[in-house]
Amino acid sequence: MDMMELAKLILPPEEYGELREAVGPLEAGDFAAFYEKYPGIVLSVLFIDNLEEFLDFSKENTLDRECVCAAFLCERGYGLSVGGYEDDLTRALVGFLQGRGAAAPEALEILQRERVYTACGDFDNFKRTLSEVNQVLEGQGVRLAVWEDFVYCDCEYTLLLLDRAVEERVHAGWRSESFMIYL
């Protein structure tokens, strides 16, 4: 299983169709058409904010479809993208849980106990805090799953709130060259 197969499990059919449609121009080599329709995805994945730079990138590189998929999921509110050196993720994490309908008071209390940060190493509290939150969320039948992107930028994370059964299935069958399950 990879990010595209995961998206098929969590997206409604019409949105999965939109994702497949989004990947189409990339696979066909029509980079200008992709950029015209999805500049936010290019910005979030590559930090490129204009067509000229994207076309220059595309001369020698390919935009990874799994990274596009993760950005699409985040853009649509199914996920949250987190950088490897974030100083305070508390507000973003609380907003994400509330937006996904999983804002148990105990989970929010854990998130607000101390500032949640990433530092791409052993000195951050990101993984520990999310593990504690997951203990609470499991009572609701859901779980925060986190993937690390190894294509463009180490320590870039995609968080998804998944039904516990889906998360177990994904975890057991994960086979991706672009993303490693982090939590």
Side-chain angles (χ1 to χ4, degrees), residues 2-63:
D2 65 10
M3 195 61 71
M4 291 294 290
E5 292 166 313
L6 171 59
K8 190 172 187 174
L9 292 176
I10 61 176
L11 288 173
E14 62 277 356
E15 283 187 282
Y16 183 71
E18 288 178 50
L19 172 60
R20 292 291 315 146
E21 196 175 291
V23 174
L26 289 176
E27 292 173 343
D30 193 351
F31 304 112
F34 178 83
Y35 185 86
E36 184 177 307
K37 194 162 184 181
Y38 301 102
I41 289 176
V42 174
L43 180 62
S44 69
V45 174
L46 299 173
F47 306 104
I48 292 175
D49 64 355
N50 66 65
L51 176 60
E52 185 178 309
E53 281 184 51
F54 181 59
L55 293 177
D56 189 48
F57 166 86
S58 299
K59 287 178 186 173
E60 297 180 21
N61 301 286
T62 303
L63 184 55

